[in-house]
């Protein structure tokens, strides 16, 4: 049993209190340990992705308890992908916070960042639905502190709204878990996959209720319409690096939907196509409302926030097909949209720090320092978010369209909303960068002393990832398609987790009976002896 699997949870869990207790008044040490920890975390994530690339599902049993009683961490290609995504984004955010001076503006930024990464990584690795709830709460508690970092009335107000909305979602999560446990007697995802599949058709009403409640919870986390109300104000008012980190937060909800509704509640299982029937209209509405919001927003921060909602809708249209080809396209777009949204929020923050009293309002103001470089970065991020060539957003949308051939209504929605996004980003860019030169005013100087060189490196690095995804689209899509194939063949996940259990899982349902010839005695169960 490899102990590397637990490192993405243990490493930030160790660093966070260490930074609080030992380096509380030493910002330089906090920065050094935070960046070192992020770098090690990224290296570990890459190592785990290499291990998972063989196609094997690797299980870490805490306390060495047999399933379904023990707590397990499970590594497959999907969880390894999400670990790399989180570690890379966390490193970029930490570099930006140091370069732009955000970590000077309040206490415990780096420790809260580590706690946040601990919760996110735990959510991606856990093989138990209740521990998914626990890690959700860990990452949410850390995000509350990050949300109100450096204070401010607008930030505090948005933070309260964020807290209240997510606490309601957490309460609903407990109701959903209680409902499911009352029917199955377990919350192990692998054990749930077996027991839900074995439920008699006449006894599925309550499990359907649990499945719908879980869908609502994950829709809140993913900011799917009509449960997206918390996102625009939260992302628009959060500190720049925090908003960039929050780009992975919606993906936690998306990941939970993909994991639970392909493993526990597959489309050919007990609840049938119920998940797709809920997700398709919600994803379509999210796409439309998000891109209309980009067009109608009067604040650059809200332009970026609504673009996140639109991107969630786009990827969920692919995932809602519950098809391996569409899932592969959705995974590519998910990776792209995470880095593109994070880069956009960092660039927006750099703009805000240079516009003085104008802030992020879409009005003509004085030219800003380094305006040409910022305009170029914003242009690249806008192209990526709108899905224009040559960056990876175009390829992602093209793959989604290819996977949904014949669904002309969805084709029309994706293409029309892409046009709305192009117009919206074009209007925002012209107001902030182009029209600024028509004022004839001298350029605004930076309001703070830092040169922001490291901040530009962080934002540019995220855009460089998008270029890399475009240049190496072939091997990237090949790896992601293999990941999608593994997602839609959950038998390996179940067998790996349930291996060594007192009673081996009957997976797929009825396989054990089918293997016994008519009239023959069934073999005695193998108890691992």
């Amino acid at each position: 049993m490899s102990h590397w699997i637990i490192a993405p949870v243990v490493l930030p869990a160790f660093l966070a209190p260490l930074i609080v207790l030992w380096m509380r008044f030493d910002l330089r040490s906090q920065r050094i340990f935070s960046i070192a920890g992020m770098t090690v975390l990224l290296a570990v994530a890459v190592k785990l992705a290499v291990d998972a690339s063989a196609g094997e599902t690797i299980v870490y049993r805490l306390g060495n308890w047999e399933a379904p009683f023990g707590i397990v961490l499970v590594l497959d290609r999907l969880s390894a992908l999400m670990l790399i995504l989180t570690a890379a984004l966390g490193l970029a955010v930490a570099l930006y916070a140091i370069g732009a001076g955000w970590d000077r503006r309040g206490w415990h930024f780096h420790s809260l960042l580590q706690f946040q990464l601990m919760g996110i990584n735990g959510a991606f690795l856990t093989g138990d639905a209740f521990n998914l709830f626990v890690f959700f709460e860990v990452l949410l508690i850390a995000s509350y502190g990050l949300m109100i970092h450096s204070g401010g009335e607008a930030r505090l107000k948005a933070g309260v709204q964020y807290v209240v909305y997510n606490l309601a979602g957490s309460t609903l999560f407990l109701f959903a878990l209680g409902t499911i446990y009352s029917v199955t007697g377990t919350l192990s995802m692998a054990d749930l996959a077996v027991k839900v599949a074995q439920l008699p058709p006449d006894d599925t009403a309550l499990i359907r209720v649990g499945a719908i409640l879980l869908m609502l919870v994950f829709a809140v986390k993913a900011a799917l319409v009509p449960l997206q109300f918390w996102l625009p104000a939260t992302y628009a008012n959060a500190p720049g690096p925090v908003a960039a980190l929050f780009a992975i937060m919606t993906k936690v909800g998306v990941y939970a939907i993909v994991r639970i509704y392909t493993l526990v509640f597959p489309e050919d299982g007990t609840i049938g196509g119920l998940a797709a029937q809920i997700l398709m209209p919600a994803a379509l509405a999210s796409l439309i409302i998000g891109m209309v919001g980009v067009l109608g927003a009067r604040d650059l921060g809200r332009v970026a926030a609504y673009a996140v909602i639109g991107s969630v809708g786009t990827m969920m249209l692919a995932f809602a097909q519950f098809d391996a080809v569409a899932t592969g396209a959705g995974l590519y777009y998910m990776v792209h949209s995470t880095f593109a949204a994070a880069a956009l929020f960092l660039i927006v923050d750099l703009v805000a720090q240079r516009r003085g009293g104008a802030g992020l309002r879409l009005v003509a103001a004085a030219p800003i320092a380094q305006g040409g470089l910022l305009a170029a970065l914003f242009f690249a991020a806008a192209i990526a978010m709108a899905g224009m060539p040559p960056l990876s957003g175009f390829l992602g949308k093209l793959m989604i369209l290819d996977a949904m051939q014949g669904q002309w209504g969805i084709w029309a929605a994706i293409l029309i909303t892409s046009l709305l996004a192009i117009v919206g980003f074009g209007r925002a860019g012209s107001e902030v960068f182009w029209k600024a030169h028509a004022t004839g005013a001298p350029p605004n100087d930076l309001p703070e002393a830092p040169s922001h060189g490291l901040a530009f490196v962080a934002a540019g690095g995220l855009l460089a990832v998008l270029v890399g995804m475009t240049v190496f689209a072939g091997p990237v899509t090949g790896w992601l398609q293999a990941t999608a194939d593994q997602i839609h063949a959950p038998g390996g996940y179940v067998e790996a987790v349930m291996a060594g259990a007192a009673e081996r899982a009957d997976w797929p349902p009825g396989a054990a009976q089918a293997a016994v010839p008519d009239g023959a005695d069934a073999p005695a169960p193998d108890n691992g002896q």
Side-chain angles (χ1 to χ4, degrees):
M1 181 169 60
S2 172
H3 294 284
W4 284 106
I5 304 174
I6 203 171
V9 179
V10 170
L11 179 61
F14 173 76
L15 277 177
L18 183 66
I19 291 172
V20 172
L21 298 175
W22 184 28
M23 299 169 246
R24 183 172 183 177
F25 302 109
D26 187 353
L27 183 58
R28 177 177 295 181
S29 295
Q30 290 185 34
R31 290 173 168 179
I32 292 172
F33 274 80
S34 183
I35 295 300
M38 297 288 189
T39 305
V40 173
L41 185 62
L42 180 57
V44 170
V46 171
K47 191 266 182 195
L48 292 177
V50 172
D51 293 344
S53 295
E56 180 185 1
T57 300
I58 305 169
V59 179
Y60 187 91
R61 305 180 191 278
L62 296 171
N64 206 27
W65 285 84
E66 291 186 350
F69 307 107
I71 298 173
V72 296
L73 301 180
V74 185
L75 178 75
D76 62 357
R77 297 175 72 102
L78 176 60
S79 55
L81 169 67
M82 303 308 293
L83 291 178
I84 290 180
L85 200 58
T86 303
L89 184 58
L91 179 59
V93 166
L95 290 172
Y96 181 89
I98 294 171
W102 268 106
D103 59 347
R104 295 179 179 271
R105 304 183 192 183
W107 293 97
H108 310 310
F109 178 87
H110 290 287
S111 57
L112 286 171
L113 180 60
Q114 295 295 330
F115 275 126
Q116 176 95 349
L117 293 180
M118 172 190 136
I120 294 173
N121 289 336
F124 292 145
L125 283 171
T126 184
D128 183 273
F130 183 78
N131 288 318
L132 180 63
F133 165 79
V134 172
F135 283 118
F136 266 34
E137 294 310 297
V138 171
L139 69 90
L140 287 173
I141 290 170
S143 69
Y144 299 154
L146 289 171
M147 172 63 205
I148 60 175
H149 177 74
S150 83
E153 181 181 351
R155 192 165 295 144
L156 182 59
K157 181 179 178 180
V160 170
Q161 174 186 334
Y162 173 70
V163 168
V164 170
Y165 209 83
N166 278 279
L167 283 177
S170 298
T171 304
L172 191 61
F173 201 166
L174 285 177
F175 290 161
L177 293 179
T179 302
I180 293 172
Y181 187 82
S182 69
V183 177
T184 62
T186 184
L187 290 176
S188 166
M189 294 183 192
D191 199 28
L192 277 173
V194 176
K195 291 187 175 179
V196 169
Q198 293 174 344
L199 286 175
D202 296 336
D203 295 336
T204 60
L206 199 55
I207 202 68
R208 285 172 176 265
V209 172
I212 293 173
L213 289 177
L214 273 185
M215 180 66 74
L216 292 176
V217 172
F218 299 147
V220 170
K221 310 301 182 184
L224 279 171
V225 172
L227 302 171
Q228 86 294 351
F229 298 107
W230 62 272
L231 189 145
T234 300
Y235 281 43
N237 289 290
V242 175
L245 182 64
F246 280 9
I248 195 70
M249 294 278 283
T250 53
K251 308 310 183 295
V252 178
V254 172
Y255 166 86
I257 290 173
V258 173
R259 176 68 77 194
I260 295 294
Y261 292 91
T262 55
L263 176 64
V264 180
F265 302 113
E267 194 172 24
D268 58 351
T270 302
I271 68 169
L274 182 62
Q277 294 168 13
I278 296 174
L279 281 178
M280 281 299 292
L284 190 59
S286 299
L287 171 61
I288 295 171
I289 290 176
M291 294 314 181
V292 170
V294 170
L295 180 63
R298 294 296 180 265
D299 177 280
L300 198 58
R302 287 185 177 268
V303 169
Y306 278 109
V308 171
I309 296 175
S311 68
V312 169
T314 303
M315 74 182 75
M316 287 312 305
L317 283 174
F319 290 135
Q321 303 298 309
F322 291 103
D323 167 78
V325 174
T327 298
L331 290 174
Y332 184 91
Y333 190 83
M334 180 179 68
V335 175
H336 150 81
S337 66
T338 302
F339 287 119
L344 183 60
F345 279 115
L346 296 185
I347 295 163
V348 166
D349 185 66
L350 287 171
V351 171
Q353 295 188 46
R354 287 159 171 74
R355 294 193 82 210
L360 292 175
R361 289 180 293 117
L362 297 184
V363 295
I368 58 178
Q370 300 168 313
L373 176 58
L374 279 172
L377 292 175
F378 179 82
F379 181 65
I383 285 177
M385 289 301 291
M388 293 176 63
L391 293 181
S392 51
F394 173 73
L395 296 179
K397 286 191 175 181
L398 196 63
M399 287 189 285
I400 291 174
L401 291 174
D402 183 60
M404 304 176 74
Q405 292 185 23
Q407 302 185 48
W408 305 115
I410 294 177
W411 270 55
I414 292 176
L415 296 175
I416 293 172
T417 53
S418 296
L419 178 60
L420 294 179
I422 293 170
V423 175
F425 278 114
R427 179 179 62 85
S430 65
E431 288 285 352
V432 174
F433 300 106
W434 184 16
K435 291 185 179 180
H437 293 278
T439 63
N444 282 332
D445 292 328
L446 289 177
E448 296 187 355
S451 64
H452 294 71
L454 195 58
F456 278 102
V457 169
L462 292 175
L463 293 176
V465 173
L466 303 182
V467 175
M469 288 185 64
T470 306
V471 174
F472 299 102
V476 170
T477 54
W479 197 90
L480 293 176
Q481 189 56 57
T483 303
D485 294 337
Q486 186 183 50
I487 292 170
H488 288 276
Y493 185 104
V494 175
E495 291 169 4
V497 175
M498 299 301 291
E503 294 181 7
R504 295 297 179 91
D506 175 16
W507 186 269
Q513 289 83 351
V516 180
D518 291 341
D521 294 332
D526 178 9
N527 292 322
Q529 300 178 352

